[in-house]
Amino acid sequence: MMTMMQVARMDWGMNVLAEWHCKAETHGIEVYRPDGYGRLGINTTTRTTPTLDFDLMYTAYQQGFDIDAAQRVRHGQFKGFQFCIEEDNQYLREVFLRASTLMLKVTYECRLVERCLEDKDIGSMLDSLTLT
C-alpha cells in the first residue's frame, strides 16, 4: 500500500507519495524523490474563461510541440494532451491539462535510459489531481 500526503494549492490538489518531496514554485510545484531518477514540475495558469482543448493545443504549438504527436490523456479531474520526446539521451514528457478555468503544464524529465522507472509513481500521483 502506498502512503500519500495531500499537496493543495488554492485551485488544485494532488496526493504525493510519502517518499517524494515537494518544493513550492511561483506558479506551481516541483515533485521529486531524493534517490529518484527524474523531476516532475507542475505549473498553473488560471484563465478568466473555461480552458478548452484548443487552448491546450495552441499553447503546445506555441512551445514548439508537434501537434500531430499529441496523445489524449486524463488524470483525476483533468484532461488534455501528452507529448513524449526522446533526444540527446533525455526523456521529456509534457502534459497539458485542463479543468474549469485552470491549465496545468506537467513536465517530467529524466535520462532516457531511466524513462519508465517512475511511471507507476507519476501516474498514481497525477491520477489524484483534483480541483479545490
Side-chain angles (χ1 to χ4, degrees), residues 7-131:
V7 171
R9 307 235 349 130
M10 280 185 5
D11 37 21
W12 62 271
M14 177 178 81
N15 292 326
V16 175
L17 292 164
E19 61 272 13
W20 288 72
H21 294 212
C22 292
K23 181 174 136 184
E25 301 289 338
T26 304
H27 296 286
I29 63 169
E30 183 177 297
V31 183
Y32 61 95
R33 233 178 42 193
D35 61 345
Y37 303 102
R39 292 186 177 273
L40 179 70
I42 304 175
N43 293 312
T44 307
T45 301
T46 304
R47 299 167 40 89
T48 57
T49 59
T51 304
L52 307 173
D53 282 348
F54 172 82
D55 301 314
L56 299 179
M57 293 302 269
Y58 184 71
T59 301
Y61 174 77
Q62 284 185 312
Q63 294 180 15
F65 289 93
D66 177 6
I67 301 306
D68 293 331
Q71 304 168 330
R72 283 197 175 275
V73 293
R74 178 179 287 276
H75 293 291
Q77 293 181 323
F78 290 77
K79 61 183 177 178
F81 302 95
Q82 172 176 282
F83 300 87
C84 298
I85 299 169
E86 299 175 1
E87 63 183 30
D88 299 329
N89 290 323
Q90 288 294 112
Y91 174 72
L92 177 69
R93 182 189 322 168
E94 292 277 0
V95 186
F96 296 84
L97 297 171
R98 68 180 182 89
S100 184
T101 59
L102 293 181
M103 180 170 26
L104 302 183
K105 180 182 178 192
V106 179
T107 304
Y108 177 76
E109 186 172 8
C110 67
R111 293 182 345 167
L112 185 57
V113 296
E114 299 164 339
R115 72 182 165 118
C116 297
L117 298 178
E118 295 179 319
D119 281 358
K120 183 177 177 185
D121 286 359
I122 298 298
S124 174
M125 291 186 288
L126 291 179
D127 286 346
S128 73
L129 281 167
T130 59
L131 293 169

